[in-house]
Amino acid sequence: MSLLARLAPHLPYVRRYARALTGDQTTGDHYVRVALEALAAGERVLEANLTPRVALYHVFHAIWCTSGAQLEGPADDDITADDTTRRLMRIAPRSRQAFLLTALEGFTPSEAAQILGTDFAEVEKLIAEAQAEIDAELATDVLIIEDEPVIAADIEALVRELGHQVVDIAATRTEAVDAVARKTPGLVLADIQLADGSSGIDAVKDILQRYDVPVIFITAFPERLLTGERPEPTFLITKPFQPETVKAAIGQALFFHPRKASKQAA
């Protein structure tokens, strides 16, 4: 199989990573092209012990670290950059790389370590540093839709630990809609099966008809959302959940959600 055939399925994704890393699609594409040219010329090779996708990102990272990362400037001066790009560019480059590889590109920490040429512990440290910066910058009001008091209390403790404020805990669809009417949250954490037999899915639909907020579903019934019949949620956590999984999802949901005006009529 030719080099191009091996790498073609992964090129859209490494371009996405390059754009997020550099803050600019043109700049990102330039470094992807340089990496491919280096491979074609034999100046770089795909590591045989890595999967093609991991090996491609590894080569791109090596090119970026020897040139692009040295020329990086602050994104706050770029009036064309969106909020997410500005936030990304404020994170230290090494932490940003680890965060994007795992949060945006879906690599495991072990794969990210291979790409970055480091070890698992270092990647975990870098991700934690990025997460701390994100949490500090994006503190917001959170609505929890959960009918089990013990689980609701556990989620509330995680949310507060990250520096966010819990504005309400709703156990039914009606309570959730009423809570949002009183105060618009910046994030919704929702179960699916609620106390009175109502649906957290329907509650979220009601909320999203009027407000543009990120949503994370935390449920014991993920199959109800993974039907392929409707757009599936970006953030879906299965119960019983790990606290670190919820924390990471909160940071990612807030970080990557574009800031838009409320859908509610003025």
Side-chain angles (χ1 to χ4, degrees):
M1 185 180 294
S2 70
L3 178 66
L4 181 60
R6 292 172 63 195
L7 298 182
H10 312 300
L11 292 180
Y13 303 102
V14 77
R15 290 184 65 229
R16 175 179 62 186
Y17 172 68
R19 190 265 183 229
L21 181 65
T22 65
D24 177 75
Q25 187 67 70
T26 301
T27 304
D29 284 348
H30 167 74
Y31 286 104
V32 171
R33 184 169 59 253
V34 171
L36 293 175
E37 289 172 350
L39 285 168
E43 297 168 4
R44 300 276 180 175
V45 296
L46 298 176
E47 297 288 343
N49 61 324
L50 304 178
T51 65
R53 185 169 181 239
V54 170
L56 174 61
Y57 278 71
H58 178 72
V59 170
F60 169 83
H61 173 260
I63 296 290
W64 166 246
C65 285
T66 57
S67 52
Q70 314 304 320
L71 303 175
E72 185 174 292
D76 286 338
D77 295 336
D78 185 355
I79 61 173
T80 65
D82 59 25
D83 290 332
T84 300
T85 298
R86 290 192 183 95
R87 291 194 293 265
L88 274 171
M89 298 303 284
R90 285 196 288 269
I91 299 175
R94 189 79 166 163
S95 296
R96 188 193 322 145
Q97 292 159 7
F99 173 73
L100 286 172
L101 287 169
T102 53
L104 181 65
E105 298 304 315
F107 288 109
T108 66
S110 295
E111 289 172 327
Q114 292 175 322
I115 292 167
L116 298 176
T118 186
D119 57 31
F120 180 89
E122 176 66 11
V123 167
E124 292 278 87
K125 176 175 175 290
L126 292 169
I127 294 171
E129 290 173 355
Q131 197 72 57
E133 292 186 47
I134 293 166
D135 294 337
E137 182 176 347
L138 299 179
T140 192
D141 294 326
V142 179
L143 169 64
I144 298 172
I145 306 175
E146 171 59 63
D147 65 323
E148 293 288 344
V150 173
I151 297 176
D154 286 343
I155 296 173
E156 180 179 16
L158 291 175
V159 167
R160 293 189 185 280
E161 185 180 333
L162 294 175
H164 306 297
Q165 179 69 34
V166 175
V167 294
D168 215 328
I169 298 176
T172 68
R173 176 183 181 182
T174 300
E175 288 180 9
V177 173
D178 290 345
V180 171
R182 289 191 296 271
K183 185 174 180 61
T184 307
L187 174 68
V188 175
L189 304 178
D191 190 7
I192 291 179
Q193 186 167 296
L194 303 179
D196 60 352
S198 61
S199 167
I201 299 173
D202 291 333
V204 166
K205 285 181 180 178
D206 292 340
I207 293 168
L208 293 181
Q209 284 177 356
R210 300 182 66 189
Y211 305 98
D212 184 54
V213 295
V215 176
I216 300 172
F217 283 99
I218 305 176
T219 178
F221 305 99
E223 66 278 0
R224 297 187 185 180
L225 285 166
L226 302 177
T227 62
E229 298 174 356
R230 62 174 75 90
E232 296 175 353
T234 302
F235 299 100
L236 176 60
I237 297 173
T238 303
K239 295 177 180 176
F241 57 79
Q242 295 296 321
E244 294 308 314
T245 302
V246 176
K247 290 180 182 180
I250 289 173
Q252 293 168 24
L254 290 173
F255 196 91
F256 290 111
H257 187 78
R259 296 179 183 176
K260 299 178 183 176
S262 170
K263 294 182 181 178
Q264 186 180 30

